[in-house]
Amino acid sequence: MKLYEQTIAIFQRILQELLKRKRNLIFWSVFPLTILVLNSYIIAEKAKIDVSLAMKISAPPSLMGAALFFSCLGGTIATIVGEREQKTLIRLFISPLMGIAYFLGILLAHSAIAFCQAILIYGLLFLLGKPIEGSFFLGLIIIILSIISYVGVGFIFGTQLAKRTEDVNSIVATFGVPLLILGGTFFPSSLFPEKMKQLAQFNPIFHMNEALIQIWGKGALFSDIKIHFWFLFVFSFIVILLGWWCYEKMLKSETVL
């Protein structure tokens, strides 16, 4: 009960802070739609197919690679840095707040933004007459695992590497952009040379994109994406543990300071 109450309290406070940043909300809405439109027109031109069909193909990487990456990973880093600069962390440290509750609160807050982005992208596809083909719930599980993975990595970076606001962009650019490219966000993984395909197997973004493309784009079953599913499941579990450990480590270092 204590964990639940602390999680909900953190969730409500973080979500209120996110909703106050109306400019960021607009950017988080415009960016994935822009990526969706650009990728769709490129695919439609190269494959000689209808633009609406091309949008169905490019929707998963536009959501998983572009939208969730910046809102969940970058947003989590920015949230923790903002907490540190506003001295909110100091007040949290002297309270009996559990690390897992702090992590889950941030996770839920950014999940709310992420699901709005998913509704935005797939709502557009629905209006264009290109609904989801495969299992809705299996695709939803993949999105949830992806959100956990992004928030977990953002939590680790935010607690250990980002000390100031200006650190956020450098961290996202240094670690994020190469992973996005290697994950097949900006162009299909089928175009990768063989060595890049082998390297992409260790990239969680690659598994996010491929899983959702096969499920909601091609109507695949669990047996078709089980490798991607288990990779994301194990990865999300690991980052939760690392996120909790990083919180405890940050707690000790900030207390000393």
Side-chain angles (χ1 to χ4, degrees):
M1 190 64 184
K2 183 179 179 181
L3 173 63
Y4 171 79
E5 292 175 351
Q6 290 184 353
T7 299
I8 295 301
I10 294 296
F11 160 67
Q12 292 175 339
R13 185 175 59 79
I14 297 298
L15 185 60
Q16 288 175 355
E17 290 294 325
L18 291 174
L19 294 177
K20 289 179 182 178
R21 306 171 190 172
K22 296 181 180 180
R23 184 178 301 176
N24 284 350
L25 294 177
I26 295 174
F27 291 158
W28 286 341
S29 300
V30 172
F31 177 69
L33 291 177
T34 303
I35 297 298
L36 175 63
V37 171
L38 291 176
N39 283 347
S40 299
Y41 274 98
I42 293 173
I43 293 174
E45 179 65 25
K46 293 296 182 180
K48 305 300 180 183
I49 59 177
D50 185 71
V51 174
S52 60
L53 178 59
M55 281 191 174
K56 186 174 183 178
I57 298 173
S58 59
S62 297
L63 173 63
M64 309 297 274
L68 301 190
F69 175 85
F70 286 99
S71 63
C72 294
L73 190 148
T76 298
I77 299 175
T79 294
I80 295 176
V81 171
E83 298 263 85
R84 179 182 283 115
E85 291 184 339
Q86 295 170 12
K87 308 300 181 182
T88 306
L89 287 178
I90 296 178
R91 296 195 296 271
L92 292 175
F93 292 155
I94 62 177
S95 66
L97 177 67
M98 291 183 285
I100 189 64
Y102 188 61
F103 175 85
L104 290 176
I106 292 179
L107 172 65
L108 290 177
H110 285 280
S111 295
I113 302 297
F115 281 120
C116 288
Q117 292 176 313
I119 293 172
L120 187 65
I121 290 178
Y122 279 93
L124 177 60
L125 287 183
F126 181 80
L127 293 176
L128 294 175
K130 298 296 180 181
I132 295 170
E133 284 193 7
S135 170
F136 173 80
F137 292 104
L138 183 55
L140 187 62
I141 292 173
I142 294 298
I143 292 177
I144 292 173
L145 291 177
S146 302
I147 293 172
I148 294 174
S149 300
Y150 278 137
V151 172
V153 174
F155 200 88
I156 295 169
F157 286 164
T159 55
Q160 301 303 307
L161 299 180
K163 304 300 181 182
R164 298 175 300 275
T165 302
E166 53 267 27
D167 294 337
V168 177
N169 289 334
S170 60
I171 291 174
V172 171
T174 301
F175 294 97
V177 175
L179 289 176
L180 289 176
I181 296 174
L182 191 60
T185 298
F186 301 118
F187 48 87
S189 59
S190 58
L191 300 178
F192 290 176
E194 191 58 35
K195 290 185 177 180
M196 281 188 64
K197 289 182 180 179
Q198 296 175 0
L199 188 60
Q201 300 299 320
F202 301 96
N203 182 2
I205 300 178
F206 169 79
H207 293 281
M208 297 174 193
N209 288 335
E210 291 298 314
L212 200 62
I213 287 173
Q214 293 186 42
I215 296 171
W216 282 0
K218 300 178 181 179
L221 302 175
F222 176 79
S223 57
D224 301 314
I225 58 97
K226 61 182 180 180
I227 295 178
H228 304 303
F229 174 85
W230 289 117
F231 182 96
L232 292 175
F233 182 84
V234 172
F235 184 81
S236 61
F237 179 76
I238 291 174
V239 295
I240 289 177
L241 295 179
L242 287 177
W244 171 80
W245 178 79
C246 288
Y247 174 84
E248 296 296 328
K249 185 178 179 181
M250 180 181 65
L251 175 63
K252 295 178 180 178
S253 63
E254 293 285 339
T255 304
V256 172
L257 295 176

